[in-house]
Amino acid sequence: MGVVNVTPDSFSDGGLYFDPEAAIAHGRELAAAGADILDVGGESTRPGAEEVPAEEELRRVVPVVEGLADGETTISVDTSKAAVAAAAIDDGATIVNDVTALRGDPEMAALCAERGATVVLMHMLGEPRTMQQDPRYDDVVAEVKAFLAERLEAATAAGIAEERIWLDPGIGFGKTAAHNMELLRRLGELRELGRPLVVGTSRKSFIGKVDGSGAEDRIGGTIASSVLAAAEGAEVLRVHDVAEMRQALAVATAVLG
């Protein structure tokens, strides 16, 4: 899953692809590099990020989804707003990647059920503005697993077919570096929920906590953590650097058989 941020303030590439034409060109480059899915988002969810009004998010996202939905590339829309998801689906998106796990908009679950979208349910402690303010867990894996199980049940109760639900532990969303690493080490426990796992470690700050690197210098850490996640059962890797990740996965797969 290649990341297409149409935002001025995302943590690693904020503003680079804010212009729709630049975002479309970038998405096409990621697809050519081997992205199976392009995840288009118009609202930053970095720690401390402010909410974007639906009208502005629509203005950012819709032209990019239109430009990338060529019938060959799977398009995901990274949003927690039903209005944005509906417009993106109208223009060719088939996946809704909701960081609130359908809690952010009371109309989102019904929309996804009605439109037959695949849904990514992610764990987040609090909200982007507050999630990194001293996050605490007794057992981060057990608590994330319980949350995802509850949201999976809520989604199916709302009419979303279980086979169209993916789960994301939310690396970096209300977690310390130690929490993130524990989740990656014990990812197999989340596989017990029986749904595909989406893992996004790309360029995140826990990598910098290991070696002091800035966001632009974390490709090596992204590859290491993503390959380990894949070995533990992650089926979708959300990354900025698609070509490098593709090569790393190809070599890891060849070695591991």
Side-chain angles (χ1 to χ4, degrees):
M1 179 185 277
V3 178
V4 183
N5 285 325
V6 196
T7 59
D9 56 346
S10 290
F11 78 95
S12 75
D13 58 4
L16 283 179
Y17 311 112
F18 191 43
D19 176 76
E21 290 304 315
I24 292 166
H26 180 58
R28 289 174 178 160
E29 290 171 359
L30 295 179
D36 300 298
I37 303 164
L38 296 177
D39 192 39
V40 180
E43 179 178 43
S44 174
T45 51
R46 63 176 173 76
E50 293 298 322
E51 187 173 353
V52 173
E55 296 77 13
E56 173 62 14
E57 194 175 337
L58 283 163
R59 189 191 68 77
R60 296 176 183 182
V61 166
V62 167
V64 179
V65 172
E66 285 179 345
L68 292 174
D70 55 8
E72 298 179 6
T73 305
T74 299
I75 305 297
S76 167
V77 59
D78 181 357
T79 187
S80 58
K81 299 181 181 68
V84 177
I89 292 169
D90 286 343
D91 289 322
T94 58
I95 300 171
V96 175
N97 184 9
D98 185 352
V99 299
T100 73
L102 306 178
R103 298 174 300 156
D105 187 327
E107 298 179 5
M108 183 69 95
L111 170 77
C112 294
E114 179 185 337
R115 303 296 296 275
T118 293
V119 179
V120 182
L121 305 177
M122 194 194 78
H123 175 275
M124 174 170 54
L125 189 66
E127 59 181 5
R129 285 184 294 276
T130 62
M131 64 187 180
Q132 288 304 105
Q133 294 174 8
D134 194 28
R136 294 171 182 258
Y137 303 86
D138 291 328
D139 181 331
V140 65
V141 179
E143 291 174 50
V144 168
K145 183 179 180 181
F147 171 88
L148 292 175
E150 184 274 326
R151 297 316 300 158
L152 174 60
E153 184 176 345
T156 55
I160 301 172
E162 186 169 329
E163 61 267 22
R164 290 192 288 101
I165 299 172
W166 301 349
L167 305 175
D168 183 340
I171 299 297
F173 284 80
K175 285 109 180 160
T176 65
H179 293 145
N180 293 324
M181 293 180 195
E182 186 73 4
L183 280 163
L184 292 170
R185 272 194 296 270
R186 296 167 56 191
L187 211 56
E189 294 176 41
L190 301 184
R191 288 281 297 159
E192 295 169 4
L193 295 171
R195 302 307 310 138
L197 294 182
V198 179
V199 173
T201 66
S202 189
R203 303 183 183 178
K204 289 189 174 175
S205 62
F206 82 96
I207 297 169
K209 294 285 180 22
V210 174
D211 68 349
S213 57
E216 69 282 0
D217 295 319
R218 295 174 184 160
I219 294 178
T222 297
I223 288 173
S225 54
S226 297
V227 167
L228 290 168
E232 286 295 315
E235 294 187 88
V236 181
L237 300 174
R238 187 179 184 276
V239 299
H240 298 82
D241 305 289
V242 169
E244 293 86 347
M245 196 65 246
R246 270 288 184 196
Q247 183 182 63
L249 282 174
V251 174
T253 299
V255 171
L256 296 174

